[in-house]
Amino acid sequence: MSVNQQNDVCAIIVAAGLGTRAGSKPKQFQMLAGKCVLEWSIEAFAHHPRIKWVVVVTAPGMDEAALAASNGFPIILAQGGETRSKSVQAGLNAAKQLHPKRVLIHDAARPGVTATDIDLLLSALEDADGAAPALAMADSIKQTNSNGCILSDVDRSGLQRVQTPQAFHFTAIESAYNSLPEDQPVTDDLSVALSAGFTLKLIPGGHHLDKITFADDFDRMERLLSNAVFRTGSGFDVHAFGPGDHVSLCGVKVPYSAGLVGHSDADAPWHALTDALLGALAEGDIGDHFPPSDEKWRGMDSAHFLKFAADRVSARGGSIINVDLTIMCEAPKVRPHREAMRSRTAEVLGLPLDAVSVKATTTERLGFLGRQEGLAAQASVTIKL
């Protein structure tokens, strides 16, 4: 079997950091383009044909979050240490029992690793002890003092910005870490390898391998990672008035001298919105998924239908950007209940309030709406896939 066909590689993802400069919780467990940051790396390694094992090094108390990020892939958990180098050693110790021949060590805060990166790194190990992706320095470099005042220029020729994953022959990097003096500062795994006299190669890196450090980095990385497609959908629904003392509009019971006739709770705005979401996905309409001929949907709270459509968007790796609802009727009056309708809709969809619009209009007493025989609703949505 050739080297390129061997499936003897272990990936170690270092996810033990507790830094919160990018938000209120560790950045590796925040959401990025529909996935947890850590999930991006686990998925990339898990789907590569040459990687047999994935070890995730976590901080105490974060095992459950790491398992959730694995999305069902069988990862191996290791407990991190107080420094990155100790966390890497913990990962190496966990991997040792698996007897891998090669190892990729990766920072969880770099979610953009691709199969091409992995292939290039493993190929580089055919004639080197270790390899890492790197970018040449393109900007001017200045030496400053502690106050930020410029002291001098720095020659950038030959300088490289090193990224991860970094690849090594397993026994070599394990031995190098075990021989590392306790007080020796290291910036990454290449530093450990250099101190051990390894022959190292750099492969072309890329901005997709940049590290998330600050909150603004999430937007930049999302643009790099996502081939986002924006779609719009529209929906329309009508229900006639019948006996009753209230109508359900956007999950809010609005007192009225009549009710609405329908198989479920006849919440026309939410039915229109459900259709709009399904339409944006090209997945039919509400009747396809919840046929009125099925008695189990009789009297059903329309929140069930709306949540189903929202979950379909999530299942496609998408997100809802905003929704816009227009309720058409002479009565009842919508304005007194509008904010409650917005809040309930935002709650069901998991959206901020400013992403939900609810408006009302009349038909100037024209047609069946003008004769107060029923009400109608129109919805439009924008989603990102």
Side-chain angles (χ1 to χ4, degrees):
M1 182 180 292
S2 72
V3 171
N4 286 334
Q5 294 174 314
Q6 290 175 359
N7 130 349
D8 57 13
V9 182
C10 177
I12 296 175
I13 305 174
V14 184
L18 294 176
T20 56
R21 284 181 291 177
S24 59
K25 63 180 178 179
K27 55 200 171 189
Q28 61 270 29
F29 296 110
Q30 295 184 45
M31 296 302 292
L32 173 70
K35 300 177 188 177
C36 165
V37 170
L38 174 59
E39 185 178 346
W40 283 92
S41 296
I42 293 176
E43 186 176 279
F45 290 125
H47 290 168
H48 195 280
R50 290 198 59 196
I51 295 180
K52 190 173 182 180
W53 309 277
V54 177
V55 174
V56 178
V57 185
T58 65
M62 300 306 291
D63 284 4
E64 188 173 334
L67 288 171
S70 72
N71 203 20
F73 185 81
I75 62 173
I76 298 159
L77 294 173
Q79 192 88 120
E82 64 269 20
T83 63
R84 184 187 182 281
S85 60
K86 289 189 179 300
S87 292
V88 172
Q89 285 180 292
L92 291 169
N93 288 336
K96 185 175 183 178
Q97 61 186 314
L98 308 171
H99 308 292
K101 288 187 170 58
R102 296 161 186 79
V103 63
L104 294 166
I105 304 173
H106 184 56
D107 293 329
R110 300 180 188 268
V113 60
T114 68
T116 299
D117 299 319
I118 295 168
D119 288 338
L120 289 172
L121 286 165
L122 293 177
S123 293
L125 288 183
E126 293 180 23
D127 56 6
D129 300 318
L135 287 174
M137 298 297 295
D139 300 316
S140 295
I141 309 297
K142 307 293 182 184
Q143 177 72 44
T144 65
N145 62 18
S146 58
N147 296 320
C149 296
I150 295 175
L151 300 177
S152 62
D153 287 319
V154 175
D155 183 6
R156 69 186 180 200
S157 59
L159 295 181
Q160 298 277 325
R161 183 157 63 89
V162 178
Q163 301 168 311
T164 74
Q166 298 180 3
F168 305 94
H169 297 281
F170 185 85
T171 55
I173 192 64
E174 184 205 15
S175 175
Y177 262 103
N178 289 338
S179 302
L180 189 69
E182 190 76 26
D183 58 349
Q184 181 173 324
V186 295
T187 57
D188 64 357
D189 311 299
L190 286 192
S191 297
V192 178
L194 279 171
S195 68
F198 282 21
T199 300
L200 302 172
K201 291 178 67 173
L202 295 180
I203 68 162
H207 291 295
H208 64 288
L209 292 174
D210 282 348
K211 188 175 183 180
I212 294 175
T213 303
F214 303 104
D216 289 348
D217 294 337
F218 278 87
D219 288 338
R220 179 176 54 82
M221 188 57 66
E222 183 164 346
R223 289 193 297 271
L224 285 169
L225 293 184
S226 85
N227 296 312
V229 174
F230 289 88
R231 292 186 178 183
T232 60
S234 64
F236 183 80
D237 194 47
V238 175
H239 284 281
F241 287 127
D245 59 5
H246 74 276
V247 295
S248 291
L249 301 175
C250 298
V252 176
K253 290 186 176 181
V254 177
Y256 189 50
S257 58
L260 288 171
V261 179
H263 188 66
S264 62
D265 61 1
D267 192 326
W270 273 5
H271 291 182
L273 183 52
T274 300
D275 268 355
L277 288 167
L278 293 172
L281 294 170
E283 292 192 8
D285 60 29
I286 191 171
D288 293 326
H289 299 276
F290 307 99
S293 58
D294 192 334
E295 280 300 307
K296 72 180 177 182
W297 307 124
R298 184 171 293 282
M300 176 66 70
D301 183 344
S302 292
H304 179 86
F305 310 143
L306 186 58
K307 184 67 165 56
F308 170 84
D311 288 345
R312 291 301 306 148
V313 175
S314 297
R316 294 271 294 271
S319 58
I320 302 169
I321 305 301
N322 74 295
V323 305
D324 184 20
L325 285 161
T326 301
I327 302 169
M328 294 168 271
C329 60
E330 296 292 336
K333 296 298 182 185
V334 170
R335 182 182 292 273
H337 309 280
R338 184 169 63 189
E339 292 310 305
M341 295 178 191
R342 292 179 67 212
S343 295
R344 181 66 181 131
T345 303
E347 179 185 359
V348 172
L349 295 178
L351 294 176
L353 189 60
D354 65 1
V356 177
S357 169
V358 175
K359 311 187 299 296
T361 189
T362 71
T363 58
E364 300 295 334
R365 300 195 177 277
L366 298 175
F368 76 92
L369 294 173
R371 293 190 298 270
Q372 298 187 40
E373 296 173 6
L375 61 74
Q378 180 174 291
S380 63
V381 302
T382 302
I383 66 172
K384 180 174 68 173
L385 293 179

